[in-house]
Amino acid sequence: MLLGGIEAGGTKMVLAVGDENGNIFEKATIPTDTPDVSVPKMIDFFKGKGIEALGIGCFGPVDLHRGSKTFGYITTTPKPKWGNFDFAGAFREALNIPVGFDLDVNAAMLGEVTWGAAQGCESAIYITIGTGVGVGVWVNGKLLHGLIHPEAGHMILNRHPEDPYPGHCPFHGNCLEGMAAGPAVEERWGKKGFDLADNPKVWEIESYYIAQAITNFIFCYSPEKVIVWGGVMHQEQMFPMIRAQVKEMLNGYLNAPIINDHIEDYIIAPGLGDEPGIKGALRLAWEELQA
Ligand code: ADP
Ligand code: ZN
């Protein structure tokens, strides 16, 4: 069965034709322009390919409430012309097929639960630390939506004792995104993250914030796996630092062997490499077809 997937981001759109087993047969990337420019290009990519359903993992905030008048819309983004845009509807109308729709990080979480490092988990979380911070939440075998959808990237954190940086988030200052996303690293140190690889203090402070958030997520969601990725996590030396700090912050409170004895199997990179989001979008398409 052929399915389509879109991983819709603020800078680029990843498009794929694949199947219900997560195989990808064709892939394309186009830059994110305004909808009147980008959407017709995306529709052209899928037209005539014989896909039976489409799945979209979209940057937020989005409306995920079936039955709402704006279900499948991007809601309040400052990105020019994307605010209040009927993303799912545009494709439903043009392609005349079922369209599954969720938040980008939820799609990535779904990809990892279906084919990646969180297979078989009842509860798990997927964190991406890039231009912003997003967190996809899987609880009791379902993606968590709730009131709107989790915005756990804005979890408020304690400052590192040696960090005077006020934070990059205009709403909260010292939230996870404000302290730890790529732009915060760049502003704090005056250089791109990529160029700071050999300064251990940078990654000690960075991993302190990520570990604090993960500790809180463990307490809140009781995940069986914690997957963390995104551009900033390409500094893979942070994995052991984060694991050690999470253990320190938990301080022995949880009686969980995977945390206490095998944390290297617990806080991990995705199993699907750079494709959890686009593969998750294929899964959203498949689920929509079953619904
Ligand atoms: P996006 O969040 O826009 O989808 P990414 O996940 O690639 O994209 O994140 C981009 C951010 O990650 C930028 O702020 C960039 O500076 C940072 N980044 C990318 N590669 C690295 C790296 N190797 N080391 C540190 N930071 C990086
Ligand atoms: Zn914030």
Side-chain angles (χ1 to χ4, degrees):
M1 173 198 303
L2 290 178
L3 300 167
I6 301 176
E7 187 181 7
T11 52
K12 65 180 196 288
M13 302 284 179
V14 180
L15 317 173
V17 174
D19 69 11
E20 72 278 19
N21 298 316
N23 297 306
I24 291 177
F25 306 123
E26 191 184 343
K27 206 164 154 184
T29 301
I30 63 165
T32 302
D33 204 314
T34 52
D36 50 315
V37 176
S38 300
V39 172
K41 285 186 191 162
M42 292 193 271
I43 289 169
D44 277 351
F45 172 83
F46 290 113
K47 268 217 163 127
K49 301 245 159 100
I51 59 171
E52 290 180 47
L54 177 70
I56 303 170
C58 187
F59 66 86
V62 289
D63 184 348
L64 301 177
H65 283 287
R66 286 175 193 277
S68 154
K69 271 195 209 147
T70 53
F71 171 59
Y73 281 51
I74 296 172
T75 56
T76 56
T77 176
K79 285 186 219 327
K81 304 212 184 143
W82 288 100
N84 205 36
F85 177 69
D86 182 6
F87 204 120
F91 289 88
R92 211 180 288 117
E93 198 171 302
L95 301 171
N96 203 21
I97 51 174
V99 175
F101 186 76
D102 213 309
L103 194 62
D104 47 7
V105 278
N106 269 346
M109 177 79 267
L110 183 63
E112 284 294 311
V113 155
T114 310
W115 299 297
Q119 283 176 67
C121 291
E122 284 252 304
S123 295
I125 62 166
Y126 183 97
I127 308 164
T128 177
I129 308 191
T131 307
V133 176
V135 184
V137 183
W138 177 256
V139 276
N140 294 338
K142 279 174 121 174
L143 292 170
L144 180 60
H145 291 165
L147 179 67
I148 297 168
H149 41 71
E151 284 286 356
H154 293 272
M155 172 171 280
I156 311 292
L157 300 176
N158 290 328
R159 275 170 209 286
H160 189 284
E162 295 165 58
D163 184 15
Y165 178 63
H168 197 266
C169 178
F171 294 91
H172 317 112
N174 57 312
C175 65
L176 173 60
E177 181 170 302
M179 299 312 274
V185 175
E186 190 177 336
E187 193 175 58
R188 180 188 288 110
W189 299 98
K191 273 189 200 173
K192 291 253 181 219
F194 184 81
D195 299 319
L196 290 160
D198 55 3
N199 182 344
K201 198 78 200 168
V202 172
W203 309 110
E204 181 203 314
I205 289 180
E206 180 72 6
S207 58
Y208 170 80
Y209 290 121
I210 298 169
Q212 229 187 111
I214 290 177
T215 302
N216 289 329
F217 299 148
I218 293 170
F219 287 138
C220 293
Y221 299 124
S222 198
E224 296 159 75
K225 292 275 182 192
V226 174
I227 298 172
V228 48
W229 200 233
V232 176
M233 285 308 300
H234 285 78
Q235 299 295 326
E236 294 190 40
Q237 71 273 26
M238 281 199 291
F239 276 96
M241 294 168 145
I242 291 168
R243 291 173 187 137
Q245 294 196 69
V246 165
K247 275 180 109 162
E248 207 174 291
M249 289 171 192
L250 291 170
N251 200 19
Y253 184 72
L254 298 179
N255 181 19
I258 190 158
I259 295 176
N260 297 328
D261 307 327
H262 299 286
I263 197 163
E264 69 283 0
D265 297 329
Y266 182 64
I267 298 172
I268 49 179
L272 299 175
D274 287 320
E275 295 190 318
I278 191 66
K279 291 196 172 180
L282 293 175
R283 182 68 176 185
L284 285 172
W286 182 83
E287 289 190 349
E288 193 65 22
L289 209 51
Q290 311 305 307

